[in-house]
Amino acid sequence: MIDCYTWTTDNGYKPRMMLEETGLAHKIIPVNIRQKEQMSAEFMKISPGHKIPAIVDHDGPRGATIMLCESGAILKYLAEKSGKLYPSDPVARAKVDQWLFYGSATFTTLAQQFGHWVVRNPEKVPPAQKHYDAVLRDMLGTLDRHLASNEYFGGDYSIADLTMYSDVHLHGVKDIGLQDYPSLKRWHDSIEARPATQRAWGPFPV
């Protein structure tokens, strides 16, 4: 059984999608970041940087209990554990890693800044709003250009796609719109229709 500590954020949906795709036995444990539950001493034993998501795998390698944070590391771990959504060929794996790291380190990080300055911050700061709006549109363009000649980011559907989806869905679709990014829209809609995605984005346990 894998305990998945998460919330309804972009990073928070990533392990939920992966767990649904792999079929690994798991339990969703809400960590209400609005109430600062991520700051509890107990949770920080699992996630030292007090960030969600985090997982505890009670049946890790050689029977060890594995505590893991950081969405990209979690996706990679679950892919290797399940043997799904991560190619075995080293050349294909390198391409998946490239987009996995871009999604985790660059795309989500900057999309979160867009969410803060443009969407949620009650204080309007026009220079920051203008900057992060332009940054997000530029990144959506990057993704769209790649998908114009590729069905998915790293070859077949993989964790490279999972790391991109939530911010495209939350900010690309809802805040910017994908009418200027047809290849990205095609990719988003195909993932949105997957049964595992529907389950992962369904009602959140409370």
Side-chain angles (χ1 to χ4, degrees):
M1 177 67 69
I2 295 172
D3 296 332
C4 179
Y5 295 81
T6 191
W7 193 242
T8 55
T9 67
D10 48 5
N11 273 326
Y13 279 108
K14 295 178 185 183
R16 290 188 71 190
M17 291 178 66
M18 185 62 179
L19 288 164
E20 291 292 348
E21 289 283 358
T22 61
L24 290 168
H26 65 278
K27 176 173 62 175
I28 299 297
I29 302 174
V31 179
N32 190 331
I33 61 175
R34 298 189 186 98
Q35 297 179 7
K36 303 295 183 183
E37 291 179 357
Q38 77 276 21
M39 305 302 294
S40 72
E42 201 62 32
F43 181 69
M44 284 194 282
K45 293 177 183 177
I46 303 169
S47 179
H50 52 77
K51 293 168 59 180
I52 60 95
I55 64 169
V56 177
D57 184 1
H58 298 281
D59 185 26
R62 299 185 297 277
T65 295
I66 300 294
M67 297 182 181
L68 199 61
C69 59
E70 294 295 328
S71 63
I74 291 169
L75 289 177
K76 193 169 183 290
Y77 175 81
L78 295 175
E80 291 176 336
K81 179 182 178 72
S82 66
K84 296 180 179 180
L85 303 186
Y86 196 43
S88 57
D89 176 74
V91 175
R93 181 168 285 199
K95 297 303 291 184
V96 169
D97 284 345
Q98 169 186 277
W99 288 105
L100 172 66
F101 297 154
Y102 177 83
S104 300
T106 300
F107 183 60
T108 288
T109 300
L110 292 171
Q112 287 174 338
Q113 292 300 309
F114 170 90
H116 173 76
W117 291 105
V118 178
V119 180
R120 296 186 302 275
N121 190 13
E123 179 184 359
K124 300 308 177 186
V125 185
Q129 292 173 284
K130 181 179 179 181
H131 173 75
Y132 284 109
D133 182 84
V135 166
L136 182 57
R137 291 175 188 273
D138 178 67
M139 293 191 298
L140 295 176
T142 296
L143 304 185
D144 187 68
R145 287 191 297 275
H146 180 73
L147 292 169
S149 54
N150 297 274
E151 184 176 7
Y152 297 109
F153 280 101
D156 294 332
Y157 185 59
S158 72
I159 55 176
D161 302 285
L162 289 185
T163 199
M164 303 288 190
Y165 177 82
S166 56
D167 282 294
V168 172
H169 184 69
L170 290 171
H171 298 307
V173 172
K174 296 181 180 179
D175 298 323
I176 298 293
L178 297 183
Q179 62 273 12
D180 295 330
Y181 311 99
S183 297
L184 185 58
K185 185 179 188 307
R186 181 268 307 161
W187 169 90
H188 167 272
D189 292 352
S190 71
I191 296 174
E192 184 179 40
R194 294 176 69 91
T197 304
Q198 296 291 316
R199 292 192 299 270
W201 286 76
F204 195 75
V206 293

